[in-house]
Amino acid sequence: MDDSKGMLIVVSGFSGVGKGTVVQLVFESLPNLQFSISCTTRKPRSGEENGVNYFFMSEEEFEKKIAADEFVEYTKTFTNYYGTLKSEIDKPLARGVDVLLELNVVGAMNIKKMYPDSVTVFISPPSIGALKARLIGRGTESPESIERRLKEIENESKVIDKYDYCVTNNIARTCADEIVNIIRSEHLRVSRQNVNKIFISEE
Ligand code: 5GP
């Protein structure tokens, strides 16, 4: 795998699908994978750290970065901006390091357009019923927020067929292993390898 180029892996999934846990397990299996830390104007949740989960900033700071053309893509949801910094992906890619991005469907499709070699993975719940139960059961969302998230789920489900892969999060470990397998297999694509290396080396 040493000669293969760095790869972008974009992971998306419905709100409440358990993306965070799955992605964390993927990182445990692939220690050389780098996470693209996004910028956001939303407030940190408990346990989240600046510069680890996100770069948390004010709307003014975010808009300064837009004006300075620092983002490869950004989006504004109901109340917050989210954006991927060019520096978060271009630097590791140039060094041959794989980068995993966790983006909403709009961001994922934009990255795919700009980086056709990127690999997009959608994490799906075992069923919509299970997801609704989980969203309600979390107890952290108001009825309006649940309603809004369910509407978002309906919209996002229309573009799942644009992703390269879809994995089901029934058991987080299994789902993470499937993503690890996708990443390993993608590296074996002829287009990602220097297949002529056997003629260069004497050994
Ligand atoms: P959360 O507030 O729950 O961390 O994230 C909300 C949504 O924004 C999730 O779907 C997450 O994947 C997405 N997101 C996080 N960072 C970015 C980003 O840089 N760009 C885009 N387009 N979406 C992002």
Side-chain angles (χ1 to χ4, degrees):
M1 260 195 219
D2 290 353
D3 65 342
S4 62
K5 299 175 217 154
M7 189 166 77
L8 288 183
I9 302 107
V10 186
V11 173
S12 308
F14 300 138
S15 174
V17 78
K19 256 178 310 185
T21 311
V22 170
V23 164
Q24 181 132 16
L25 292 170
V26 171
F27 278 103
E28 283 172 20
S29 296
L30 299 172
N32 291 326
L33 184 63
Q34 194 165 312
F35 180 62
S36 161
I37 306 169
S38 292
C39 296
T40 185
T41 56
R42 88 149 159 72
K43 298 276 163 288
R45 295 186 187 124
S46 108
E48 284 185 332
E49 272 180 61
N50 187 37
V52 175
N53 307 88
Y54 281 105
F55 295 115
F56 295 100
M57 58 188 64
S58 66
E59 211 162 291
E60 195 189 349
E61 281 173 289
F62 197 103
E63 285 169 354
K64 258 194 203 153
K65 289 189 183 298
I66 298 175
D69 199 24
E70 287 186 40
F71 292 112
V72 64
E73 66 80 37
Y74 69 92
T75 189
K76 195 170 189 186
T77 60
F78 301 98
T79 43
N80 293 304
Y81 277 118
Y82 292 87
T84 308
L85 290 168
K86 287 178 182 170
S87 57
E88 279 296 298
I89 57 178
D90 288 343
K91 280 186 199 158
L93 282 188
R95 285 187 284 125
V97 171
D98 290 348
V99 183
L100 186 143
L101 303 92
E102 202 193 300
L103 306 179
N104 67 1
V105 295
V106 179
M109 294 304 114
N110 281 335
I111 290 287
K112 188 71 183 176
K113 254 187 245 150
M114 284 179 277
Y115 297 84
D117 276 1
S118 60
V119 180
T120 52
V121 182
F122 194 88
I123 304 181
S124 150
S127 74
I128 282 296
L131 185 67
K132 279 185 192 168
R134 194 171 156 176
L135 268 179
I136 295 164
R138 273 204 310 208
T140 55
E141 315 291 329
S142 64
E144 297 78 47
S145 163
I146 289 173
E147 202 48 49
R148 206 173 59 207
R149 280 167 193 266
L150 291 176
K151 190 85 210 131
E152 205 174 287
I153 286 168
E154 202 183 310
N155 286 334
E156 290 187 343
S157 64
K158 292 178 189 147
V159 291
I160 300 178
D161 60 357
K162 303 263 188 316
Y163 280 75
D164 298 317
Y165 297 91
C166 180
V167 292
T168 303
N169 184 18
N170 214 339
I171 298 163
R173 178 75 265 171
T174 311
C175 184
D177 286 344
E178 282 169 352
I179 297 177
V180 170
N181 288 340
I182 290 168
I183 296 171
R184 290 194 171 133
S185 304
E186 281 287 338
H187 269 293
L188 299 177
R189 274 187 191 275
V190 168
S191 59
R192 294 191 200 275
Q193 295 188 58
N194 175 10
V195 285
N196 289 320
K197 65 176 182 240
I198 52 162
F199 298 107
I200 299 163
S201 165
E202 288 290 301
E203 289 152 41

